[in-house]
Amino acid sequence: WHRWIYDDYYRSYLMPLERYGLEVPHDLVEEAWNRIWNKGYIHEVAQFLAVGWPLHYWRIDPMTDDDFEWFERKYPGWYDKYGEWWVNYSRLSDPRGYGPIAFAEVDYQFPLRCWTCMVPCLIREDMVVDRVDGQWRTYCSAACHWTDTVAFRPEYRGRATPSMGRLTGERGWDARYHHWDLADIQEDVGIVRDDGKTLIA
Ligand SMILES: [Zn+2]
């Protein structure tokens, strides 16, 4: 992860852009590393993607004992924080016997979506809630809050923001499907096959 953030992303990609006048936010690179390594971001993402399997066209396999050992060896303390949930994930993995883990009592709070990057607000202490353009919005981080409320306004530092820099469209996935039946959502997102089954069950 360190190599990916600092060598691949920072030194090979971001730094060369400074030559063209781009201001690289060095502190955000540090924070990216901090989020991945110290705040458990990658583990939160994995858990979130596993929770949402009824709405995907793929599904993460339950973990084996070897997987548990691997994670604990690579990320000491991992088991204490995530182990029990993944044990439950295995327990509830047979769709013939159980409903989706998203609806089971397994001590998991489904996260709100970030208005800017549309990834869920997975690191709770970083989440920002603000009323913007007359609407309550949630952001995964201070940087995403800044992006929507400062940088991606119609104008930034006296220059008009191009269309690609505007946050448009239906951004709140959870709000869009609020009060929908799960089966209707599956149909709407297009994961039902011609034979009426979904792609993963
Ligand atoms: Zn975000």
Side-chain angles (χ1 to χ4, degrees):
W1 292 110
H2 198 271
R3 230 165 34 203
W4 180 58
I5 292 271
Y6 287 99
D7 293 349
D8 290 5
Y9 190 65
Y10 188 48
R11 271 188 277 277
S12 323
Y13 172 62
L14 281 180
M15 293 288 278
L17 294 173
E18 283 197 318
R19 268 194 305 234
Y20 303 102
L22 195 83
E23 276 175 49
V24 175
H26 303 275
D27 55 328
L28 283 188
V29 177
E30 291 296 323
E31 182 54 18
W33 166 250
N34 190 31
R35 276 160 71 87
I36 281 188
W37 197 252
N38 297 316
K39 296 182 177 176
Y41 186 64
I42 42 176
H43 308 303
E44 300 287 336
V45 170
Q47 196 179 16
F48 174 78
L49 293 176
V51 169
W53 71 260
L55 296 166
H56 301 162
Y57 52 87
W58 45 269
R59 183 176 169 184
I60 295 175
D61 283 339
M63 288 204 201
T64 63
D65 285 347
D66 284 349
D67 295 328
F68 282 116
E69 274 166 35
W70 187 89
F71 271 99
E72 187 58 32
R73 199 169 62 241
K74 288 271 181 191
Y75 307 97
W78 176 87
Y79 191 88
D80 271 354
K81 195 146 185 227
Y82 304 101
E84 195 182 325
W85 187 87
W86 282 101
V87 168
N88 276 315
Y89 184 77
S90 299
R91 182 174 63 81
L92 302 170
S93 64
D94 186 347
R96 287 167 304 187
Y98 303 97
I101 191 168
F103 307 123
E105 285 294 329
V106 287
D107 196 23
Y108 185 73
Q109 191 71 43
F110 199 80
L112 293 160
R113 192 74 49 146
C114 176
W115 182 265
T116 300
C117 70
M118 298 171 85
V119 174
C121 308
L122 291 163
I123 301 171
R124 301 301 153 96
E125 69 264 33
D126 285 357
M127 187 168 88
V128 178
V129 181
D130 193 10
R131 195 169 167 82
V132 180
D133 298 336
Q135 188 178 36
W136 283 108
R137 295 179 182 172
T138 45
Y139 303 92
C140 72
S141 56
C144 273
H145 177 246
W146 175 84
T147 301
D148 185 31
T149 55
V150 180
F152 283 16
R153 295 284 97 189
E155 202 177 87
Y156 177 60
R157 291 185 179 173
R159 292 170 65 180
T161 302
S163 317
M164 67 172 283
R166 297 189 185 204
L167 301 174
T168 55
E170 284 199 70
R171 312 193 65 76
W173 194 94
D174 317 271
R176 169 177 167 73
Y177 290 116
H178 196 47
H179 290 316
W180 279 51
D181 188 275
L182 179 60
D184 294 331
I185 302 174
Q186 287 177 322
E187 224 173 338
D188 196 60
V189 296
I191 57 168
V192 181
R193 306 188 302 203
D194 290 344
D195 63 6
K197 294 187 169 147
T198 68
L199 295 171
I200 33 79

